[in-house]
Amino acid sequence: MKFPKPHTLKQIAKLIDTDYVGADNFPVLGMNEIHVVEPGDIVFVDHPKYYDKALQSAATIVLINKEVDCPEGKALLISDDPFRDFNKLTTHFKPFKSSNVSIANDAKIGEGTIIQPNSFIGNNVTIGKNCVIHSNVSIYDHSVIGDNVTIHAGTVLGASAFYYKKRPEGYDQLLSGGRVVIEDNVDIGAACTIDKGVTGDTTIKEGTKIDNQVQIGHDTVIGKKCLIASQVGIAGCVIVEDEVTIWGQVGITSGITIGEKTIISAKAGVSKSLEGGKHYFGIPADDFRSKYKEIASIRKIPEILEKLKDL
């Protein structure tokens, strides 16, 4: 998430009331999670396990809960609670803005686009040409929809990321300031849910077709010309490369990559990255041939046990 205009380290420190290490005028251009940071971004870290990863990342400003040596060319914001202060920045730069109309006044709707009754189009939403938005669709603030997109009834684009920190008093949500971006020629079925990025974009690329009742988590990127069947659940920060086919009721864990032209059979459970160009199924998902050999071996176990008894 880039700020509307550049800020200085001193200005940001004042916003969240923290000490800092670095020049007063050190440039701050935005804030992002560690997997999408760029120079000029703030990244937060609040666990020793991830200190080095954050300090060595592309981010040039690190919001951290310990005084450490500042890497050359970077700056630090020293906070007793980086999670809380990251939320403060999200609230400041991307505050929630209520709406009292079905289609926000600043929404941009392209020529030939049809929006059926009872749909909600939020603030600063852009929808391209020749789209069809069916009834009871909710498109949250800042979402971007391309041309020739069809979205069926009951689908929600832009709900918050499922991202919480456990505290003694309960769970504290990391606020979402990102977007959902749907490229051209995408079809989205009924009752689907696509969460916005925490700071970046959840993206569905050109030509992808999504069936009913599919959940796609925050910051996930679905490639071009993918097919995703009903009741698939994809967690956050997943990369699905181009022309992947995912059949019904597949579950995919967070932070992994599904290679180009992969096929995943129904009911598979994907717990690690998958090499492209192969067919997978099972729990945990594995190469089609390897899985069938495994099943064949398992079926021989009763026969082997009987032979052992005879011995």
Side-chain angles (χ1 to χ4, degrees):
M1 181 172 75
K2 297 303 180 187
F3 299 152
K5 62 180 182 179
H7 284 63
T8 66
L9 184 65
K10 184 177 181 179
Q11 288 173 324
I12 296 297
K14 186 176 180 181
L15 278 176
I16 56 177
D17 192 23
T18 60
D19 295 328
Y20 59 94
V21 177
D24 288 355
N25 62 350
F26 191 93
V28 186
L29 308 181
M31 53 188 286
N32 269 312
E33 287 189 279
I34 196 159
H35 61 284
V36 288
V37 288
E38 299 174 342
D41 285 344
I42 301 168
V43 68
F44 88 90
V45 61
D46 58 4
H47 194 288
K49 181 179 178 180
Y50 303 109
Y51 285 165
D52 286 346
K53 186 176 181 180
L55 291 165
Q56 294 167 17
S57 71
T60 42
I61 305 95
V62 181
L63 177 59
I64 190 170
N65 59 344
K66 183 181 179 181
E67 293 188 17
V68 296
D69 292 335
C70 183
E72 187 177 352
K74 299 194 177 189
L76 304 177
L77 292 159
I78 311 297
S79 166
D80 64 323
D81 192 337
F83 189 100
R84 175 201 67 208
D85 290 336
F86 203 74
N87 273 346
K88 283 184 182 179
L89 291 172
T90 299
T91 301
H92 179 83
F93 288 105
K94 276 282 183 75
F96 174 74
K97 183 181 176 184
S98 63
S99 181
N100 59 4
V101 293
S102 295
I103 300 177
N105 295 326
D106 62 357
K108 297 179 177 65
I109 313 295
E111 182 181 356
T113 285
I114 297 169
I115 299 175
Q116 296 284 71
N118 300 318
S119 285
F120 171 75
I121 311 298
N123 301 296
N124 198 35
V125 166
T126 300
I127 301 177
K129 299 177 182 178
N130 303 315
C131 297
V132 179
I133 312 298
H134 286 277
S135 61
N136 299 311
V137 169
S138 293
I139 302 178
Y140 286 28
D141 295 2
H142 309 293
S143 296
V144 178
I145 315 294
D147 298 336
N148 306 306
V149 171
T150 300
I151 304 175
H152 286 279
T155 283
V156 178
L157 305 185
S160 295
F162 190 72
Y163 193 141
Y164 292 85
K165 181 180 180 68
K166 190 173 184 180
R167 298 189 186 273
E169 64 274 17
Y171 291 99
D172 190 7
Q173 186 176 34
L174 187 65
L175 301 179
S176 299
R179 307 183 302 173
V180 169
V181 176
I182 310 295
E183 295 186 356
D184 297 347
N185 304 308
V186 169
D187 293 343
I188 301 175
C192 293
T193 48
I194 302 177
D195 295 341
K196 62 186 170 184
V198 171
T199 54
D201 295 337
T202 303
T203 304
I204 313 298
K205 293 189 176 180
E206 183 178 2
T208 282
K209 311 299 180 183
I210 299 174
D211 197 2
N212 305 326
Q213 296 181 321
V214 170
Q215 155 66 16
I216 296 174
H218 69 90
D219 295 286
T220 283
V221 177
I222 307 295
K224 296 179 180 180
K225 299 179 184 176
C226 293
L227 292 174
I228 303 178
S230 180
Q231 297 181 3
V232 166
I234 303 176
C237 304
V238 172
I239 296 173
V240 177
E241 295 183 350
D242 296 346
E243 298 184 49
V244 169
T245 300
I246 305 173
W247 293 115
Q249 295 188 334
V250 170
I252 300 177
T253 195
S254 63
I256 64 171
T257 298
I258 309 298
E260 185 176 358
K261 296 184 179 179
T262 292
I263 299 172
I264 306 175
S265 289
K267 290 184 176 290
V270 183
S271 58
K272 62 181 181 180
S273 293
L274 300 180
E275 182 182 347
K278 293 184 177 181
H279 191 162
Y280 299 87
F281 82 105
I283 302 173
D286 201 354
D287 175 73
F288 202 88
R289 291 179 182 177
S290 299
K291 205 71 179 179
Y292 266 121
K293 287 180 182 178
E294 179 185 311
I295 291 169
S297 298
I298 290 170
R299 287 176 177 172
K300 290 180 180 178
I301 289 175
E303 179 186 343
I304 293 169
L305 290 175
E306 288 300 318
K307 288 181 178 179
L308 288 173
K309 284 180 185 178
D310 293 341
L311 293 175

